Amino acid sequence: MSGKPVASGATPFEAPPETQVRQVRDALLREFGELIDISDLANKPPNEREQSLLSRALAALAVRDLTGCESAAAAEAVIDGRDDIGIDAVATDESASHLWLVQSKWSDKGRARFELADALKFIEGLRYVDARKFDRFNIRFQNLADQVAAVLSNPGSKITLVTAVMRTDPLARDVVQRLSDAQDEFNQLGNILDQRSYLARDIWEVVRNDFTEPPIALTVRMQDYVKITEPYEAFQGLVSVADIAAWYDDHEDRLFDRNIRKPLGITQVNQGLIDTLADEPHNFWFFNNGITLLCDTLAPDYFSRATRSPVALKLDGASVVNGAQTVHAIHRASRKDAAAIGDGYVTVRVISLTNCPAGFADAVTTATNTQNRVERRDFVALDPVQRAIREDFLLSLQKTYTVKRGEPEPSPESGCSVEVAATALACAYRNSDFAVRSKRGIDLLWEQGTQGAYQLLFNAQDRPSAHQVWRSVLVLREIDATLHRTAKSRQARAEAIVERGDRLIAHIVFQALDLDGIDEPDTDWDAVLTQVPNAVERATAWLVHHVDAEFGQSSLVSSTLADPDRCRTLAGLVLADLKRGVPVPDLPLEYRIVKIPKQQRRPNAVPTLIDARVLADGTPLTYRAAGRPEREAMAAWLAEDPSRGSATWVNQRVRPVLWAADGKRYSPSGLVQEMWRLAGWSKAPVAAQGPSRWYVSGGKSLWALARETLASLSDDPDEDA
């Protein structure tokens, strides 16, 4: 499974032209579909009506981009129709000093025609406007005539001819020449007329920018500073922690857009920063590595160069690339007691990217991230391929794709994380090796190098599209849901095979399904998803059969399904049987007959996880209510402050859960009971099974992880009997 080759005219890190056209089309219909008047086209065929709607919406998009008006106002500027005299939209500014005349052409293929006749008609419309022959135009123009007249009556006004043409090739030379001749003619007595052209990529950038936050402007007040001018401009000095808290108040997590990860919440390191600020703010500088800021431009404002007094650095396009945890800890401390941190200072380094070579920003980000433990997946956030996929998710699907560690996991219907995407792509890959690796640990999917999983799953020259990634995720979710739904029909060795081989089963199902249209937006993916349950059940039965037939009923399930060679063999055998369509073998009776299980002592989750070092310090935990009464009782209280449902793991046997809401440590059950108390749940149970309510990324509870850990460490021969 891989994305389509990148077409000419696009870098490997942005959507190819045909995808850009589709993304623009979707955006025009979404934004202007209910706003553009096409009542005059009621008798036209549906396809012709839609093409006219898109052309008019394109004119409205240009108006909105040029004037900054709302979409409804831009739609009102469209006059396209009978007697438009080559003008599709008319717009003016609030000061009646600028008039824009727009002609637009749409093509679903990105090959719209704008010929000499179109240019001549456009110029004819301009002449009628200049001569105040408004009566020649249709009623839509008449509604705007007073605004047009006001601009023309203004001695300092300007007129801009705007062409918005959905085509990748430049306009023809004779068209450009005629428009230039008109400009020269009108400008004989002054600079009155100019031109603006939107081609396919320009139009796509307008749509893309709708999803892009403006760059951050920041003022950094620095004292005891050092200035560096070569080879690049930079400042380093002391900044008040109160100022840094204000940065976060104003911009929140957007401060870290260039960073490899978002703030990780309350970790032991970060809680230590908060405690130092609260108890010993004067020592904060000694205990902290500082903050590194990158910016697009830097303008120093010196109070006095002679006395080395403080400097105010005015930054555009500012981003914290190292020290996100420090900034977040400062902000949390300031919320608790702003006055107490007033004596605190931190070292801040500001580097201007003006005149820096390409790749310098990413190199600085990579080199400076050392204070909290950096994982291999953190550096994935620097990969332009991931940025392109995230952008594709927004433009093509209107969904969220999170890349940085610390970003909240999107809800299942609103998007996915890079971890979920990588797992799905690993299962969908043409051989089973990556599916096996994903079962052993997600970290194995971030391996770089020519044979590394990451390079092959997210190849820069053949990157997966948003549709491919999202649909792969949907298939994997349906596979997992089917395995969960059918789990009660299996026991003993069959249960162990499915539990250990769920990712191998997913790989087999991906290969068995017809996924040829996975990249095509118009593919009916619901129809594909309906095939998944049957494919899962057949693949599961055949896998259990072949594990026993090929390697014997006494073979160890865990080692068999962790061996890449054996998994390749099993995948080939199962796929061959699925392709032949032969009847699925029945599970042996001992795999299906429900036995009375041996009474086992409920495992103690905390020591089990700590002894096996299953979770790293700082692993994010999310609270999930167990059952409807608890969900209803806790929902409003949790919604008031999202940090109430978040915590991090600390490898301490006593109170290993660090709650984000107060920075204190609890046992899993103790924290749940405290949350019930604070939420005022009067009908809460007397006791709480806390480990079953705290979940790690990937959807497993502490309780489920403890059970898996015990099973993997067990020497009980009955496991694989």
Side-chain angles (χ1 to χ4, degrees):
M1 304 295 301
S2 62
K4 293 181 177 180
V6 176
S8 174
T11 73
F13 308 125
E14 70 175 40
E18 61 271 17
T19 302
Q20 292 179 6
V21 173
R22 175 178 49 76
Q23 290 172 345
V24 171
R25 182 183 185 278
D26 292 346
L28 292 176
L29 293 175
R30 185 172 62 250
E31 191 68 23
F32 296 103
E34 301 299 322
L35 299 176
I36 298 293
D37 182 8
I38 56 170
S39 58
D40 56 317
L41 305 175
N43 295 326
K44 300 290 185 182
N47 182 64
E48 189 174 333
R49 284 202 306 272
E50 183 179 77
Q51 294 300 301
S52 295
L53 170 62
L54 287 165
S55 184
R56 292 177 182 183
L58 180 55
L61 180 72
V63 167
R64 192 181 69 179
D65 184 57
L66 291 164
T67 67
C69 68
E70 297 295 328
S71 295
E76 291 294 327
V78 175
I79 70 164
D80 177 59
R82 182 186 293 275
D83 295 329
D84 63 20
I85 317 181
I87 299 174
D88 295 327
V90 177
T92 61
D93 63 354
E94 292 182 356
S95 62
S97 62
H98 204 145
L99 170 65
W100 290 273
L101 304 177
V102 183
Q103 185 173 141
S104 59
K105 301 291 182 183
W106 175 261
S107 165
D108 285 338
K109 303 295 185 182
R111 296 194 291 268
R113 300 167 67 89
F114 191 94
E115 299 178 335
L116 182 59
D118 299 307
L120 294 175
K121 190 72 172 178
F122 197 17
I123 295 169
E124 181 185 8
L126 167 66
R127 296 188 189 283
Y128 279 127
V129 169
D130 181 61
R132 312 304 202 271
K133 295 181 178 180
F134 300 157
D135 60 310
R136 305 292 180 90
F137 290 92
N138 58 32
I139 187 62
R140 290 172 176 158
F141 184 97
Q142 304 297 329
N143 293 334
L144 304 170
D146 289 345
Q147 299 173 36
V148 174
V151 175
L152 296 177
S153 299
N154 187 336
S157 65
K158 294 188 65 174
I159 303 174
T160 301
L161 294 181
V162 181
T163 52
V165 187
M166 184 50 75
R167 60 183 285 151
T168 55
D169 294 333
L171 297 179
R173 182 178 301 178
D174 57 348
V175 169
V176 173
Q177 186 61 55
R178 288 305 179 98
L179 293 174
S180 296
D181 290 345
Q183 185 174 351
D184 292 341
E185 177 187 347
F186 272 76
N187 289 341
Q188 292 181 28
L189 299 178
N191 189 15
I192 298 171
L193 183 67
D194 63 2
Q195 299 179 50
R196 173 71 185 272
S197 177
Y198 291 86
L199 296 179
R201 194 179 187 284
D202 307 308
I203 297 164
W204 176 73
E205 286 187 345
V206 171
V207 170
R208 180 182 64 175
N209 290 340
D210 283 345
F211 293 91
T212 304
E213 296 279 2
I216 289 177
L218 207 62
T219 298
V220 179
R221 297 176 180 84
M222 186 179 289
Q223 55 184 293
D224 295 331
Y225 64 87
V226 175
K227 179 180 180 181
I228 299 170
T229 57
E230 295 294 337
Y232 317 116
E233 186 177 17
F235 283 78
Q236 179 168 307
L238 299 182
V239 176
S240 164
V241 295
D243 284 355
I244 292 169
W247 297 351
Y248 193 87
D249 279 334
D250 292 340
H251 304 290
E252 298 185 333
D253 281 2
R254 286 193 58 230
L255 274 173
F256 316 118
D257 280 353
R258 278 196 177 110
N259 208 330
I260 63 176
R261 61 188 175 198
K262 297 291 187 182
L264 301 179
I266 299 298
T267 65
Q268 281 191 294
V269 171
N270 297 344
Q271 187 61 42
L273 296 175
I274 294 171
D275 293 342
T276 301
L277 275 169
D279 302 333
E280 307 170 79
H282 53 283
N283 283 335
F284 188 72
W285 181 84
F286 296 96
F287 297 163
N288 185 262
N289 289 344
I291 296 167
T292 300
L293 276 161
L294 297 182
C295 61
D296 295 327
T297 61
L298 182 159
D301 184 7
Y302 301 97
F303 293 92
S304 171
R305 293 175 183 265
T307 61
R308 300 290 296 171
S309 63
V311 61
L313 306 176
K314 298 186 183 302
L315 316 182
D316 282 327
S319 181
V320 173
V321 297
N322 177 249
Q325 319 311 322
T326 298
V327 173
H328 196 251
I330 288 171
H331 177 255
R332 291 186 66 89
S334 72
R335 287 174 57 190
K336 290 187 174 182
D337 189 349
I341 69 170
D343 294 334
Y345 285 85
V346 67
T347 298
V348 174
R349 181 169 54 160
V350 177
I351 303 172
S352 171
L353 295 176
T354 304
N355 300 323
C356 291
F360 182 78
D362 287 349
V364 171
T365 303
T366 301
T368 56
N369 279 274
T370 56
Q371 185 167 340
N372 274 280
R373 185 171 64 89
V374 177
E375 299 179 0
R376 273 191 295 193
R377 76 142 288 183
D378 290 329
F379 295 104
V380 169
L382 297 178
D383 187 358
V385 169
Q386 295 300 331
R387 300 174 198 169
I389 294 174
R390 182 175 59 194
E391 185 175 84
D392 198 2
F393 259 67
L394 277 172
L395 294 175
S396 296
L397 304 172
Q398 292 78 62
K399 295 189 183 295
T400 301
Y401 180 76
T402 58
V403 180
K404 297 179 182 180
R405 191 158 61 99
E407 287 183 298
E409 181 86 19
S411 63
E413 64 276 4
S414 66
C416 67
S417 69
V418 66
E419 288 189 354
V420 174
T423 303
L425 293 176
C427 293
Y429 199 70
R430 57 179 172 268
N431 67 50
S432 61
D433 289 5
F434 293 156
V436 175
R437 291 188 203 179
S438 72
K439 184 63 177 178
R440 287 167 53 197
I442 189 70
D443 194 50
L444 295 176
L445 298 184
W446 313 128
E447 291 180 347
Q448 302 284 344
T450 55
Q451 295 305 309
Y454 182 78
Q455 293 294 97
L456 294 172
L457 296 178
F458 295 101
N459 189 303
Q461 299 302 320
D462 194 19
R463 68 169 176 81
S465 68
H467 282 92
Q468 179 184 335
V469 173
W470 178 242
R471 287 167 171 175
S472 298
V473 168
L474 292 179
V475 170
L476 182 61
R477 287 175 177 170
E478 185 61 30
I479 292 169
D480 287 345
T482 303
L483 290 175
H484 178 76
R485 190 166 56 248
T486 58
K488 293 182 179 179
S489 65
R490 300 180 294 271
Q491 66 169 1
R493 185 172 169 85
E495 182 182 14
I497 290 172
V498 175
E499 184 176 315
R500 303 294 176 84
D502 58 350
R503 292 297 170 248
L504 180 59
I505 292 170
H507 165 75
I508 292 167
V509 172
F510 268 105
Q511 308 311 309
L513 293 172
D514 180 7
L515 305 181
D516 283 346
I518 195 167
D519 271 330
E520 301 300 327
D522 296 331
T523 300
D524 182 1
W525 205 247
D526 288 339
V528 175
L529 293 177
T530 60
Q531 303 170 28
V532 172
N534 179 260
V536 169
E537 293 186 36
R538 291 176 59 81
T540 299
W542 276 116
L543 179 63
V544 173
H545 170 80
H546 283 299
V547 168
D548 286 355
E550 194 72 15
F551 303 110
Q553 289 190 344
S554 62
S555 61
L556 289 174
V557 171
S558 55
S559 58
T560 295
L561 294 174
D563 185 296
D565 292 333
R566 289 189 169 190
C567 286
R568 281 195 293 273
T569 298
L570 290 167
L573 290 170
V574 174
L575 283 168
D577 288 327
L578 293 178
K579 186 176 181 179
R580 289 189 297 128
V582 295
V584 176
D586 291 331
L587 291 177
L589 288 177
E590 63 268 27
Y591 295 174
R592 293 183 287 121
I593 298 175
V594 178
K595 297 179 180 179
I596 300 175
K598 294 183 293 184
Q599 292 296 319
Q600 294 181 333
R601 182 178 63 86
R602 185 181 180 88
N604 192 325
V606 170
T608 299
L609 295 175
I610 290 175
D611 289 344
R613 283 300 193 195
V614 174
L615 300 176
D617 284 335
T619 298
L621 303 175
T622 302
Y623 166 77
R624 291 186 189 176
R628 182 176 177 181
E630 185 176 350
R631 283 197 299 273
E632 292 178 348
M634 301 295 290
W637 182 77
L638 291 169
E640 290 175 2
D641 182 355
S643 69
R644 291 173 176 172
S646 299
T648 50
W649 178 263
V650 181
N651 279 297
Q652 301 284 345
R653 293 181 187 277
V654 180
R655 297 186 293 277
V657 179
L658 190 63
W659 195 22
D662 64 4
K664 297 179 181 179
R665 286 175 27 217
Y666 298 82
S667 69
S669 298
L671 178 51
V672 170
Q673 289 178 312
E674 174 67 5
M675 292 165 65
W676 288 349
R677 184 187 69 80
L678 293 173
W681 187 18
S682 59
K683 297 182 180 180
V686 175
Q689 296 177 357
S692 65
R693 288 170 167 84
W694 289 104
Y695 284 73
V696 299
S697 175
K700 292 184 179 179
S701 67
L702 297 178
W703 166 244
L705 287 174
R707 286 188 60 191
E708 287 185 2
T709 302
L710 283 177
S712 66
L713 298 175
S714 174
D715 292 324
D716 186 351
D718 288 343
E719 178 203 351
D720 294 312

